[in-house]
Amino acid sequence: MTSRDRLKWNGRYAAEGQHWQKSLPRKLLMTYLEELPAAGLALDAAAGVGVNGLVLARRGLRVVALDISEVGLRLARRQAQAEGVALDTAVYDLSRPWFPTDCFNVILNFRFLERATFPMYRRALKPGGWLIFETFIRTPETDTDIEFYLRPGELHAAFADWEVVHSEEVTAVHGRSPQQRPVAQLVARKPEGGD
Ligand SMILES: C[S@@+](CC[C@H](N)C(=O)[O-])C[C@H]1O[C@@H](n2cnc3c(N)ncnc32)[C@H](O)[C@@H]1O
């Protein structure tokens, strides 16, 4: 993480936070919501304004929302307080992650890529826990920040030894642009004895 990234996201959420708060939770999360536990601990990684984590908090999980943007997290926290649901926030740099072993029942990672999180997600999910992940795949037109884009097949390969419930590469809208962009989606459960 650079302070430039933090400033960029803080600026976006300061200017457009309400727009982000009104955006719908990711379809992939809503598709599997009823199968997820209704209690326990969830991580919303790179949570932004917490739209996805709040869905889990409303379901009954206690959610930890991490992001580099304190402006986004403040909006998430206020919304959680207004609704009386359990969502805690912390400014946290996921480029240097450390999480305890077998700690979370659910991990969400939407529209964010930091490969250093892969071994940490593997470790930090409880056996039987759910990883729900969706982010962009690089294309020939991807010209900037190439490290923030997956290679085709990369996400599936990183968790192929888990119980893969859903793995697909599809197109999805990107921000407010009507343009569709390729994303990789993964829903996977950590096996007993897995890491
Ligand atoms: C495209 S937004 C996705 C927000 C949310 N997950 C969603 O799907 O709407 C990317 C988020 O990643 C956060 N971010 C960028 N670099 C980060 C880092 N190194 N550690 C933690 N969060 C980071 C940004 O602040 C921003 O909130």
Side-chain angles (χ1 to χ4, degrees):
M1 193 251 315
T2 61
S3 55
R4 197 172 54 103
D5 293 327
R6 192 170 142 253
L7 285 174
K8 179 181 87 176
W9 283 102
N10 273 342
R12 275 191 193 168
Y13 292 133
E16 307 167 358
Q18 285 188 334
H19 162 76
W20 283 79
Q21 284 185 292
K22 281 187 200 139
S23 63
L24 293 174
R26 301 287 167 204
K27 258 193 206 157
L28 183 65
L29 170 60
M30 299 315 286
T31 302
Y32 286 93
L33 187 62
E34 290 301 315
E35 295 186 45
L36 301 180
L41 190 63
L43 169 67
D44 186 1
V49 300
V51 170
N52 301 297
L54 282 162
V55 169
L56 296 185
R58 289 180 199 119
R59 185 166 168 76
L61 288 117
R62 170 164 286 278
V63 178
V64 178
L66 303 179
D67 202 283
I68 46 164
S69 168
E70 68 271 22
V71 178
L73 292 176
R74 193 176 306 130
L75 293 171
R77 198 168 52 246
R78 280 197 196 140
Q79 186 61 34
Q81 282 165 355
E83 295 185 34
V85 295
L87 179 137
D88 301 313
T89 59
V91 174
Y92 189 95
D93 179 5
L94 286 160
S95 67
R96 294 160 164 250
W98 184 89
F99 302 130
T101 304
D102 295 351
C103 165
F104 296 108
N105 299 86
V106 181
I107 295 179
L108 305 181
N109 184 120
F110 283 113
R111 307 294 172 95
F112 172 75
L113 180 62
E114 179 50 75
R115 290 174 178 81
T117 59
F118 288 6
M120 283 296 135
Y121 292 165
R122 293 181 65 92
R123 174 164 110 161
L125 259 186
K126 290 184 176 174
W130 294 72
L131 173 66
I132 306 188
F133 201 130
E134 178 185 294
T135 201
F136 297 105
I137 304 172
R138 74 178 59 154
T139 65
E141 295 78 43
T142 307
D143 50 3
T144 56
D145 295 337
I146 200 153
E147 76 269 26
F148 299 134
Y149 292 84
L150 290 162
R151 293 183 295 280
E154 180 181 3
L155 182 59
H156 181 102
F159 295 93
D161 56 327
W162 283 16
E163 181 196 334
V164 175
V165 177
H166 169 98
S167 174
E168 210 176 353
E169 296 187 349
V170 295
T171 55
V173 286
H174 180 226
R176 274 191 274 182
S177 149
Q179 197 193 352
Q180 300 267 326
R181 299 259 300 272
V183 294
Q185 300 179 327
L186 181 80
V187 178
R189 301 188 70 180
K190 178 170 164 174
E192 290 296 330
D195 71 344

